[in-house]
Amino acid sequence: MFAKAPNGIPQSDGDLTLYENQTAKASTAWYSPTREVVFVNGMLNSARDHQKAALALFLLQMCKVVGIYNASNVDDGFLKTATAVAEDLAQCIGDKIQWDTHEVDRMAVKLNTWFQSKVGSHDAAVAYVRLWLARNKAAVTLFDYIMANKGKPITIVAHSQGNLVTSNALTAVHLLDPNALSLITVNSYASPSVFWPEGFQHNSYAYTLDLVPLVAGVGNSLRFSTSTIGGVSGLASHAFENYRRDDAIFIINAFRWGMLRLTASMDEDGLANALVDMGVNMERITNIFVRLEDAHYTDSDDVAVLYIEKIKHRANILETVRRMSKLKAVLTKCLEQGWTTDREKRAIATIS
C-alpha cells in the first residue's frame, strides 16, 4: 500500500510513505514497535517539508509514522509559490464546501450510498463515496487507509488543511458505517475544520491567535474543547513545528483551566492517565513533567504521585522510568517540594 520506500520524499499528491528514524528506533527502551500514527500535512508544504515533519513527529511519538502527502507546488520559486497559494486556498474552500459546512450534501451522499449498498453492493457504495472524495487525492488515500484497517486502533495527526482532508475522509467512512470510527483518535492542530462526524475521539490544539483556527475555523481556538496557548498573533505561530515544539504545554493545557501560569483547576488524574497511555515514550513524558515543575509546581506533585501509582504494577514502564535519570530527578523534585507526605515518600521509593 505504501507508495515509497521508508523515509522517502513523496512524489505525488496522496502518496503514502512510512517514516522511521532508524537511530531513535534503535533505542528499544523508548520505541514502540506495535504503534503507528498517520500524519496529514497542511497547505503550502513541499514534499520535503512533509518528510521533515513526519520524521519530527516520529521523534515525538516514538513509533512508526504513516505520512499521507497533501501536495503543494512550492518548490521552484516565487511565481510557482504564488500560484500554489491560490491553488491551495481553492482546494481548502472546496474541502470545506464538500461536507464541512453543507448538511444537504452529506444527506444526499448518505441517501445515495444507502441506495447503492441495497440495490447494488457494498463495493458499489464504497466506489460511490470514493468518487465524491476524488477531488482531493489525500482524502482518498486516507479513506482507503481507514477502510483497509477497519477494526484496528488508528491515530491521526492532522495539521491545518490536513484537518479538512481528515474530516472529509472520516465523513465518507461514517456514511458507509456509522460505527466504523469508534477506534479512531484524531489529534487536530490549527484546524480550520468546522464539521466532524460523530463516534471518534477528538483532541484539538491551537494557538489562540492563529488565524487559521480562529478565522477559517470559525473560532476553533476559542472553544473550551480546544487546548490552547496564547502564541503570536496572525500566522507566525501556525507552522506544525511550533505545535510539535510546544507539545508539553498543549498536553498539560488540555487538562487545566486557567490563564498564563495561573491555574484555576487541573484534572490531575486525567493528565496522569494520559501520561501512562504514552507508555515508554520517556522523553515526551519527561518534557511534560519538566513543564509541570516549572510552570505548575503546585499541581506537579499530585500528578507525579498519581503517575507513579498508576505505573507501579506496569513492570515495563516502571523499569524504564527507573533507568531514566532525568525523569527520576524531575519526578523526585516534584515530590520533595514543600512538605513531603508519606504517600509522596512511597512514590519516591517506588522509582528508586
Side-chain angles (χ1 to χ4, degrees), residues 91-106:
Q91 188 180 51
C92 284
I93 293 170
D95 288 341
K96 287 184 72 66
I97 289 175
Q98 182 158 22
W99 287 324
D100 195 50
T101 56
H102 288 190
E103 183 68 32
V104 173
D105 285 351
R106 292 198 301 277

Side-chain angles (χ1 to χ4, degrees), residues 187-331:
N187 295 317
S188 291
Y189 296 90
S191 174
S193 185
V194 176
F195 169 79
W196 293 88
E198 298 178 347
F200 69 100
Q201 181 178 335
H202 190 196
N203 306 310
S204 181
Y205 308 95
Y207 293 102
T208 307
L209 299 178
D210 183 338
L211 291 181
V212 173
L214 181 63
V215 178
V218 194
N220 279 342
S221 61
L222 301 178
R223 303 183 195 282
F224 287 124
S225 57
T226 299
S227 175
T228 60
I229 298 176
V232 181
S233 63
L235 297 175
S237 58
H238 183 67
F240 178 69
E241 177 55 26
N242 294 331
Y243 281 88
R244 189 191 71 88
R245 179 199 64 210
D246 288 334
D247 171 73
I249 305 175
F250 279 115
I251 294 298
I252 292 169
N253 284 359
F255 296 93
R256 67 179 282 265
W257 290 71
M259 296 181 64
L260 302 176
R261 294 195 179 192
L262 299 176
T263 300
S265 65
M266 181 177 290
D267 179 4
E268 295 160 345
D269 190 65
L271 178 54
N273 284 330
L275 290 163
V276 174
D277 288 342
M278 293 178 190
V280 294
N281 191 349
M282 292 303 157
E283 184 168 359
R284 191 181 189 194
I285 293 168
T286 300
N287 289 337
I288 291 170
F289 273 110
V290 168
R291 174 66 184 182
L292 277 170
E293 193 278 325
D294 176 59
H296 311 288
Y297 70 91
T298 58
D299 298 290
S300 65
D301 56 343
D302 295 326
V303 177
V305 165
L306 289 166
Y307 173 70
I308 293 170
E309 290 177 346
K310 290 175 186 294
I311 66 170
K312 187 174 182 179
H313 301 293
R314 299 192 181 206
N316 185 38
I317 300 177
L318 180 58
E319 288 306 314
T320 307
V321 170
R322 285 172 172 168
R323 294 195 299 269
M324 284 293 299
S325 57
K326 185 176 179 181
L327 178 54
K328 281 177 59 177
V330 70
L331 283 170

Side-chain angles (χ1 to χ4, degrees), residues 122-186:
H122 176 73
D123 289 344
V126 171
Y128 182 78
V129 171
R130 286 184 89 254
L131 183 64
W132 273 69
L133 287 176
R135 54 172 302 282
N136 190 315
K137 293 180 180 179
V140 175
T141 300
L142 180 56
F143 170 79
D144 289 343
Y145 177 90
I146 294 171
M147 294 297 291
N149 289 277
K150 283 181 67 175
K152 301 178 183 177
I154 299 174
T155 298
I156 302 169
V157 174
H159 176 245
S160 193
Q161 186 196 0
N163 287 279
L164 296 172
V165 171
T166 302
S167 68
N168 283 335
L170 292 184
T171 299
V173 175
H174 187 267
L175 291 168
L176 293 165
D177 181 0
N179 299 316
L181 307 183
S182 61
L183 297 178
I184 293 178
T185 299
V186 176

